[in-house]
Amino acid sequence: MAGHSGSASVAGAPALVEMTDIDKSFPGVRALAKAQFQLLPGEVHALMGENGAGKSTLMKILSGVYTRDAGTVLLDGQPVEITSPRQAQDLGVGIIHQELALMRDLTAAQNIFIGREPRRFGILDEGQLNRDTAAIFASMNLKLEPTVKVETLTIAKQQMVEIAKALSYRSRVLIMDEPTAALNDAEIAELFTIINRLKAEGVGVVYISHKMDEIKRISDRVTVMRDGEYVGTVPAADTPIETIISMMVGRTLTNEALVIPNTADAPVALEVKNLNRGREIRDVSFSVKKGEILGFAGLMGAGRTEVARAIFGADRRESGEIWVHGKRVGIASPKDAVEAGIGYLSEDRKHFGLATGLDVRNNIALASLDRFTGVGGVLDEAKMEKEAVGYIKQLAIKTPSDTQEARLLSGGNQQKVVIAKWLLRDCDILIFDEPTRGIDVGAKSEIYKLLNALAAEGKAIIVISSELPEVLRLSHRIAVMCEGRLTGMLPGGASQEEIMRLATQRQSSVAEVRHAS
Amino acid sequence: MTDTAAPAAKSGPRISGAFHRLLAFSGLIALVVAFSLASPNFMQTQNILAILQATSVNGVLAIAATLVIITGGIDLSLGTLMTFCAVLAGVILTYLGLPLPLGVIGAILAGAASGLISGTVVAKLKVPPFIATLGMMLILKGLSLVISGTRPIYFNDTPGFNQIALGSVVGQIIPAVPVPNGVLVLFAVALIASFVLSKTALGRYTFALGSNEEAVRLSGVNVDRWKIGVYALAGGIVGVAGVLIASRLNSAQPALGQGYELDAIAAVVIGGTSLSGGRGTVLGTLIGALIISVLANGLRILSVAQEWQTVVTGCIIILAVYADILRRRTL
Amino acid sequence: MLNRRTLLGAFSALAMLAASNGPAFAQDNYDIALISKGFQHQFWQAVKAGADKAAAEFGVKVTFEGPESETQVDRQMDMLAAALSRKPSAIGFAALDSQAAIPLLQQAKDAGIPIIAFDSGVDSDIPLTTATTDNVAASALAADKMAELIGGEGKVAVVAHSQTSRTGIDRVDGFVNRIKEAYPKIELVTVQYGDGDQLASTEITKSILLANPDLKGIFGTNEGSAIGVANGKQELGSNIVVIGFDSGAAQKGMITSGVMNGAITQNPVGIGYETVKAAIDALKGETLPKVIDTGFYYYDATNINDPKIAAVLYD
């Protein structure tokens, strides 16, 4: 399946990285089979594929996290054995993990130089440490104090610290796994400036992402993987997005158009009145009808997740009323919300959505165990299995069985397990917070179809998303937030420009001062 | 370039949980076989019964510890709570002269009530379990001395009491193997705890809490209530341990108890339960407790000097847990 | 598989330890198991030394075990049960609780294994004899010495090691009763318990001294308590009279330097020796007295080097 052969842009010069015939198996899972990858100096090479395609595994082999079972790895044409992350760093291979690996209680500088702190007479030299860090930040054009504690930084800034850390090793190969997942547009532009500068210096960048537009903007070549195998390498500029997607999923996807059902007469399922919580949520009111998908757009930190958590009772609210099906409900905890029929799917599945150590069956049943409980608190496993298997079929959850541990599933399938949990609990108001974060293209479109189907069944759905195309693709109406306020309510099919205008509609600085005092 | 250092591709079937436990069991078997070969006095009915008897109290405590540890918590008050329950049984039976069943029920209820308090402090007041139960440990140690009048309470006026641990129902039927009742109590507690863990909502939430408490809370589950429930159940089980030790000694010793929680926790970790929560079995804990008693007994039978017994026990604890880690890593 | 391998490895190591422990199979000897109340404590190590001395002298095999703390009654039961399984020729037993061990002792008697009690007795006639110190009389002597040193009047206190053990109760009673009967001008202000722990006893001592600035003296009822009292006295720069119990290097040093005025010593080496000797006599079918009094002495800086005293002190 090496149909699309990549053209080496620099003839004669040895490739920075040449990986061939890489095999890797985990118990019961063949993660990589004859995988290959080539990286040239001064190249940004996008690595694409659905989740579970083997991108991360391949890059973890390159960066010394895993050891390969078979195959060869050449660095500058020389065979190498990379057996530890430390060794990879010494060889000039740096990786920025998708899940940030920073120590929250240490400063930015301490994080960057962890394990190789400059010393004087055996004593840590904090001054030198901070000067070195400041120099790296300056080279990145990053305005950040080396002594700032990482826990006080936004995710975006933490990402920048990670990049600074990788740069501090003078990496010639820099692997970035979903670097923009938590960045806003300005920050993405900043990141791309840095990437271009590195490129000019001859650093090879491996760029793992699901976002097509970014791939087009930043990368030179694209290598696609599927099911642990190499599919092909194509030049980024001349290859249509549809071609890349069809290489990833093995079939051609049609971009279904948004269907806006007529919900004018439908009853209101959820109404939120004058919701307040400090500076995060300021007087937010809106309603969602049965069968409607309400999108929530806005920049990072606009207060969308906070609104969702306040409605769900996960955080305390200062004031505001919540009405469900025309009745006011008192929600003081997630338990109350669930009893009112509201389900919340967090953006951070690993921390808040799944009990990763439990199996699929128990995760699906987690919110409704009382329904499977008989005399003396004994669980009816047979009934649980029947329901779980039913949802696995209905939502097409890819899992060997309902007793598979949830952590072993791919992101998209984990998301479906959480959806199944709320469907089983009979929740008819579902709040999705970034439902496709970290989910690959093929699975994304499946989740979209699922949301449409759920709305068609009469569920009221709120979708919070930072990806504008996603909001536009899904929403029947779009609520836009900025700095804790609801700045506008747009009809489905609104323009991106209109949304962005509302998302950046800040209050005047006079009002800001009054609020602060 | 094809290196030998890289592990060979593993594509065999996943090893099942049952086989997993069998591996843990093999450590115990190895010890038993080794001691049997080393001394003819080890594999004697009377000695095996002595080992089981020695396991009964620590085993029951370890089962209680298992429940709490699976939730991701810890209970340091197990040892002194056991003493408190024993002393309370003494107060009820000897000082107040009430009938035997009331003493047993009182001890178990006192344990459950104490667990309820620990659980409430942990769940509602958000005091970390280590601190909350450390506090309870001292409170109970003091209260035991207070209600006993700082003296051991003897059960001489309650004739049947020492039969709870020392008598032998089995021995009346099969005189050749007089298994003490205390051992039967241990197995009964193990069966009940195992059933609760695997078959009931409380058990399921026990694992879920240790696996990801926030996810459980956001599923609309009343996390606090279930957590308190687990601590209360563990407390009730400790109450049983209190009755057992009092019955075995035919007295409630108010100064005893502190330090016993560490032996219980050792049994739990040797049995493969993760101290970070979410994973563990009662059977594993039972095996862990047996490994500790077999080791102590066997070394004594071999007349190993006491200072070396302690060294060997420490080594075995580390080895057992390390073996478990290796097994999990390679699976 | 690894599990089995490592455990077997550990086992073979310990089997070697066992083999090197004593001439177990060298000759057809008596095998005497001593189950003590403690192990690490210098006092019990001195008892062990006495037992070992007798073992060497009479050519018998002796093992010596005891729980980590003197509260662990059930652990002592486990030790006794394991010793029984070993089928020893005789057992020496220092009971932590005067009743708890009776079923096991009965078992030993039924198996024809003679029992010798040491240090403190058992509420039963199973032990053939008890090798012990008369703790009540020993503490009464401490009270007499205390009265003498403080001039027959003033306030005194007791820091004791146990509220529950026989020795703890006897030593407190012996001291307190003697003061009440013989010295009406001496006021006993308090009896506090530090579980024989030096640090806990130090803190207790300091709080007693701070609460009673006019205190004249404190009696510490065992080695740990006495050292704790002396430490507390030093930390507060007090000059009260301190009388201790037992010996040990630290306590001996304190008596020599004058921080502690004096102490009662039992004869722990003698206890261990007499226990083993009594066991051998029993095995040979000789009749034994009901109690073997192993004696006690008062010692201070003036007589600590007397050969008679030095012989019963231990480090």
Side-chain angles (χ1 to χ4, degrees):
Chain A
M1 184 69 205
H4 309 264
S5 176
S7 56
S9 52
V10 187
L16 208 49
V17 177
E18 187 84 58
M19 301 177 83
T20 39
D21 294 338
I22 307 289
D23 285 352
K24 176 71 185 173
S25 292
F26 299 107
V29 186
R30 198 176 165 91
L32 293 176
K34 303 245 175 275
Q36 53 173 288
F37 184 75
Q38 183 199 52
L39 182 68
L40 300 172
E43 175 190 41
V44 176
H45 195 143
L47 186 56
M48 301 197 71
E50 300 195 342
N51 274 12
K55 304 167 304 224
S56 292
T57 308
L58 189 64
M59 287 304 115
K60 280 179 177 167
I61 285 173
L62 182 57
S63 58
V65 177
Y66 295 151
T67 318
R68 65 184 184 278
D69 295 342
T72 55
V73 178
L74 307 184
L75 273 185
D76 295 324
Q78 298 299 313
V80 286
E81 288 303 318
I82 305 177
T83 53
S84 72
R86 183 60 193 259
Q87 196 195 349
Q89 284 164 358
D90 292 345
L91 290 168
V93 177
I95 186 164
I96 297 162
H97 290 282
Q98 193 174 351
E99 275 120 25
L100 297 176
L102 295 172
M103 285 134 284
R104 298 170 49 80
D105 296 318
L106 300 189
T107 68
Q110 287 164 349
N111 264 285
I112 289 169
F113 285 97
I114 189 87
R116 52 200 173 111
E117 294 83 357
R119 286 159 203 247
R120 279 179 65 172
F121 315 117
I123 296 162
L124 295 184
D125 186 350
E126 286 284 323
Q128 187 63 39
L129 179 75
N130 291 330
R131 282 193 295 280
D132 290 352
T133 305
I136 297 170
F137 284 165
S139 77
M140 292 167 65
N141 200 18
L142 179 62
K143 288 179 186 60
L144 201 60
E145 279 296 316
T147 53
V148 70
K149 277 224 171 133
V150 161
E151 66 174 349
T152 65
L153 297 177
T154 61
I155 299 288
K157 285 282 191 296
Q158 292 186 21
Q159 189 105 43
M160 296 296 177
V161 173
E162 279 269 21
I163 292 169
K165 184 174 174 183
L167 291 181
S168 73
Y169 285 99
R170 312 201 179 285
S171 302
R172 293 175 302 141
V173 176
L174 193 56
I175 304 163
M176 297 185 174
D177 195 353
E178 295 268 3
T180 59
L183 304 191
N184 65 29
D185 284 347
E187 290 162 339
I188 290 173
E190 192 88 31
L191 175 67
F192 283 3
T193 312
I194 293 170
I195 291 177
N196 280 321
R197 192 175 307 144
L198 293 173
K199 202 176 137 168
E201 290 166 12
V203 174
V205 176
V206 184
Y207 193 90
I208 301 176
S209 176
H210 292 117
K211 295 183 185 167
M212 280 303 164
D213 52 331
E214 284 177 12
I215 302 283
K216 282 290 204 181
R217 263 169 73 194
I218 194 71
S219 58
D220 301 308
R221 290 193 295 165
V222 179
T223 287
V224 177
M225 295 183 68
R226 189 171 69 234
D227 298 333
E229 292 177 19
Y230 174 77
V231 176
T233 303
V234 294
D238 323 334
T239 314
I241 288 176
E242 291 71 26
T243 310
I244 296 175
I245 291 178
S246 65
M247 284 168 75
M248 284 166 60
V249 299
R251 68 196 134 91
T252 316
L253 284 183
T254 51
N255 212 353
E256 288 124 301
L258 170 69
V259 187
I260 300 184
N262 183 8
T263 52
D265 303 332
V268 169
L270 171 73
E271 184 162 17
V272 175
K273 294 179 182 172
N274 309 107
L275 193 64
N276 276 293
R277 177 186 161 86
R279 295 166 63 91
E280 295 167 342
I281 307 170
R282 301 179 190 177
D283 201 28
V284 169
S285 303
F286 65 92
S287 65
V288 198
K289 290 175 178 170
K290 281 188 70 152
E292 186 182 41
I293 300 180
L294 175 66
F296 259 81
L299 301 175
M300 293 270 299
R304 297 164 300 162
T305 297
E306 287 77 3
V307 167
R309 287 179 61 93
I311 294 171
F312 189 63
D315 296 331
R316 207 176 291 279
R317 59 179 192 277
E318 276 161 17
S319 65
E321 297 174 6
I322 295 164
W323 295 65
V324 173
H325 302 308
K327 265 186 243 151
R328 185 171 173 192
V329 289
I331 294 178
S333 70
K335 179 173 167 280
D336 299 335
V338 170
E339 272 164 15
I342 303 173
Y344 173 64
L345 291 86
S346 165
E347 57 182 327
D348 190 343
R349 285 183 297 276
K350 282 209 185 97
H351 282 125
F352 304 129
L354 283 174
T356 44
L358 294 189
D359 60 16
V360 171
R361 182 197 299 174
N362 278 297
N363 267 292
I364 292 177
L366 193 58
S368 351
L369 273 190
D370 48 347
R371 200 189 300 172
F372 300 102
T373 313
V375 190
V378 181
L379 291 172
D380 185 345
E381 289 282 348
K383 199 168 146 200
M384 277 170 69
E385 180 180 1
K386 191 166 149 271
E387 291 282 2
V389 169
Y391 279 107
I392 288 170
K393 278 210 189 96
Q394 187 191 330
L395 304 184
I397 300 171
K398 271 187 226 157
T399 171
S401 82
D402 64 323
T403 52
Q404 177 84 340
E405 271 186 54
R407 68 186 164 88
L408 300 173
L409 266 52
S410 72
N413 286 304
Q414 288 183 344
Q415 185 69 289
K416 287 182 184 176
V417 168
V418 183
I419 295 175
K421 173 172 82 180
W422 294 123
L423 294 181
L424 177 59
R425 189 65 177 76
D426 289 331
C427 286
D428 47 14
I429 299 164
L430 295 173
I431 306 174
F432 289 84
D433 199 347
E434 303 287 357
T436 62
R437 170 163 296 168
I439 289 179
D440 47 74
V441 180
K444 255 185 193 177
S445 106
E446 259 189 86
I447 299 273
Y448 294 160
K449 275 190 213 152
L450 191 56
L451 293 188
N452 284 334
L454 291 172
E457 277 174 26
K459 310 272 187 217
I461 293 175
I462 294 174
V463 173
I464 297 168
S465 174
S466 294
E467 290 182 47
L468 276 187
E470 180 166 292
V471 174
L472 291 166
R473 159 82 174 69
L474 278 171
S475 315
H476 305 154
R477 277 190 304 148
I478 301 165
V480 189
M481 288 189 71
C482 179
E483 294 178 342
R485 289 169 302 113
L486 199 60
T487 50
M489 187 68 83
L490 300 169
S495 71
Q496 294 207 17
E497 291 70 26
E498 183 68 4
I499 294 174
M500 284 315 294
R501 192 184 61 76
L502 290 169
T504 52
Q505 189 180 343
R506 308 173 58 131
Q507 269 182 323
S508 71
S509 53
V510 179
E512 192 72 25
V513 170
R514 198 181 306 133
H515 254 285
S517 59
Chain B
M1 186 52 227
T2 46
D3 53 304
T4 49
K10 295 180 209 75
S11 50
R14 273 184 75 82
I15 294 173
S16 72
F19 186 60
H20 217 159
R21 281 194 289 277
L22 211 66
L23 276 168
F25 196 60
S26 71
L28 176 60
I29 299 298
L31 274 182
V32 170
V33 169
F35 283 128
S36 304
L37 293 176
S39 166
N41 291 330
F42 182 80
M43 222 10 152
Q44 302 288 330
T45 311
Q46 196 195 25
N47 192 47
I48 299 304
L49 293 179
I51 290 171
L52 290 173
Q53 178 76 282
T55 314
S56 59
V57 169
N58 188 37
V60 172
L61 280 183
I63 289 167
T66 306
L67 295 177
V68 174
I69 288 172
I70 291 175
T71 67
I74 192 102
D75 193 343
L76 297 179
S77 68
L78 294 172
T80 56
L81 175 58
M82 170 184 79
T83 305
F84 180 77
C85 295
V87 170
L88 195 76
V91 169
I92 293 172
L93 297 178
T94 301
Y95 287 3
L96 303 179
L98 295 171
L100 194 150
L102 284 182
V104 174
I105 293 167
I108 293 172
L109 285 183
S114 166
L116 197 77
I117 294 168
S118 299
T120 308
V121 171
V122 170
K124 295 286 185 194
L125 308 186
K126 313 288 176 209
V127 176
F130 190 94
I131 307 297
T133 58
L134 182 71
M136 285 303 285
M137 171 175 105
L138 297 173
I139 292 170
L140 292 162
K141 182 183 176 183
L143 286 181
S144 300
L145 290 168
V146 170
I147 66 169
S148 65
T150 70
R151 287 185 303 277
I153 306 175
Y154 293 94
F155 292 92
N156 295 336
D157 305 336
T158 315
F161 189 74
N162 68 357
Q163 295 301 307
I164 297 173
L166 297 178
S168 178
V169 173
V170 177
Q172 285 167 9
I173 305 162
I174 319 162
V177 271
V179 178
N181 293 341
V183 176
L184 300 186
V185 173
L186 168 65
F187 289 139
V189 168
L191 280 178
I192 294 167
S194 201
F195 178 81
V196 168
L197 271 184
S198 60
K199 301 288 180 198
T200 69
L202 179 63
R204 202 55 46 89
Y205 284 126
T206 304
F207 283 103
L209 284 173
S211 178
N212 189 342
E213 182 174 334
E214 191 60 14
V216 180
R217 188 172 84 95
L218 291 181
S219 295
V221 174
N222 190 336
V223 168
D224 293 353
R225 200 182 74 194
W226 292 106
K227 199 187 267 182
I228 293 169
V230 176
Y231 278 89
L233 176 62
I237 293 174
V238 174
V240 174
V243 172
L244 277 185
I245 195 163
S247 163
R248 183 169 179 209
L249 303 176
N250 202 30
S251 63
Q253 301 282 342
L256 167 153
Q258 201 170 353
Y260 284 50
E261 62 281 346
L262 295 182
D263 283 343
I265 292 168
V268 173
V269 296
I270 290 175
T273 294
S274 159
L275 274 184
S276 52
R279 208 185 65 204
T281 61
V282 170
L283 182 60
T285 296
L286 213 49
I287 291 170
L290 280 169
I291 285 178
I292 292 179
S293 343
V294 165
L295 201 59
N297 176 284
L299 294 173
R300 283 168 192 154
I301 296 266
L302 294 182
S303 305
V304 173
Q306 186 169 352
E307 45 272 51
W308 286 106
Q309 292 180 17
T310 316
V311 172
V312 172
T313 309
C315 292
I316 293 288
I317 289 177
I318 293 172
L319 275 179
V321 175
Y322 176 63
D324 193 55
I325 288 168
L326 271 191
R327 229 165 36 218
R328 283 175 201 286
R329 199 186 286 161
T330 50
L331 281 184
Chain C
M1 291 311 111
L2 177 122
N3 213 5
R4 176 176 297 153
R5 212 185 319 129
T6 46
L7 288 177
L8 279 175
F11 176 78
S12 56
L14 99 230
M16 285 189 297
L17 285 174
S20 65
N21 189 43
F25 311 105
Q27 42 195 301
D28 191 22
N29 271 333
Y30 290 138
D31 173 12
I32 300 168
L34 262 54
I35 309 295
S36 131
K37 289 171 159 182
F39 187 77
Q40 293 104 317
H41 208 283
Q42 287 309 317
F43 178 82
W44 298 113
Q45 285 295 320
V47 174
K48 182 170 185 287
D52 289 342
K53 187 178 151 210
E57 198 172 311
F58 300 109
V60 299
K61 180 187 157 196
V62 167
T63 62
F64 189 95
E65 280 187 90
E68 285 155 43
S69 113
E70 299 197 8
T71 60
Q72 298 182 334
V73 184
D74 66 319
R75 298 293 153 89
Q76 197 188 32
M77 297 300 102
D78 292 338
M79 289 175 173
L80 187 54
L84 276 174
S85 298
R86 206 178 84 201
K87 304 192 186 356
S89 328
I91 290 177
F93 182 66
L96 279 177
D97 183 274
S98 54
Q99 296 190 3
I102 292 173
L104 280 170
L105 296 179
Q106 187 62 47
Q107 214 176 313
K109 189 187 176 193
D110 295 346
I113 301 172
I115 308 284
I116 308 297
F118 65 95
D119 189 60
S120 51
V122 179
D123 290 352
S124 151
D125 53 6
I126 297 173
L128 301 172
T129 183
T130 305
T132 185
T133 309
D134 184 344
N135 279 300
V136 176
S139 292
L141 176 59
D144 290 338
K145 293 289 175 186
M146 174 70 80
E148 185 185 319
L149 288 164
I150 65 174
E153 60 183 317
K155 291 181 177 177
V156 297
V158 177
V159 174
H161 65 280
S162 170
Q163 285 165 289
T164 52
S165 81
R166 195 69 250 163
T167 58
I169 295 165
D170 283 351
R171 287 180 200 170
V172 171
D173 287 354
F175 185 88
V176 171
N177 292 339
R178 182 70 180 169
I179 292 284
K180 278 185 189 153
E181 287 160 12
Y183 307 101
K185 286 183 182 165
I186 295 179
E187 182 197 350
L188 180 82
V189 290
T190 182
V191 180
Q192 299 267 334
Y193 297 87
D195 293 333
D197 180 288
Q198 288 185 20
L199 195 60
S201 303
T202 304
E203 299 303 339
I204 289 171
T205 301
K206 285 166 75 174
S207 57
I208 294 174
L209 287 174
L210 292 170
N212 305 283
D214 53 346
L215 199 79
K216 291 279 183 55
I218 299 183
F219 172 45
T221 63
N222 78 344
E223 183 185 344
S225 307
I227 293 171
V229 171
N231 283 342
K233 170 186 172 181
Q234 274 186 312
E235 285 182 26
L236 286 184
S238 161
N239 57 3
I240 54 160
V241 171
V242 175
I243 292 183
F245 210 108
D246 297 336
S247 55
Q251 195 164 195
K252 278 157 67 181
M254 284 171 161
I255 286 172
T256 311
S257 71
V259 180
M260 207 181 283
N261 301 63
I264 303 290
T265 177
Q266 309 183 69
N267 185 354
V269 180
I271 292 176
Y273 184 88
E274 291 296 337
T275 304
V276 172
K277 186 166 174 292
I280 294 166
D281 288 348
L283 289 166
K284 288 182 176 159
E286 289 170 28
T287 13
L288 296 164
K290 208 63 216 139
V291 173
I292 301 171
D293 185 357
T294 50
F296 58 87
Y297 309 94
Y298 178 80
Y299 69 104
D300 56 22
T302 61
N303 69 351
I304 193 165
N305 292 320
D306 281 5
K308 194 183 84 174
I309 296 293
V312 298
L313 297 180
Y314 53 89
D315 280 330

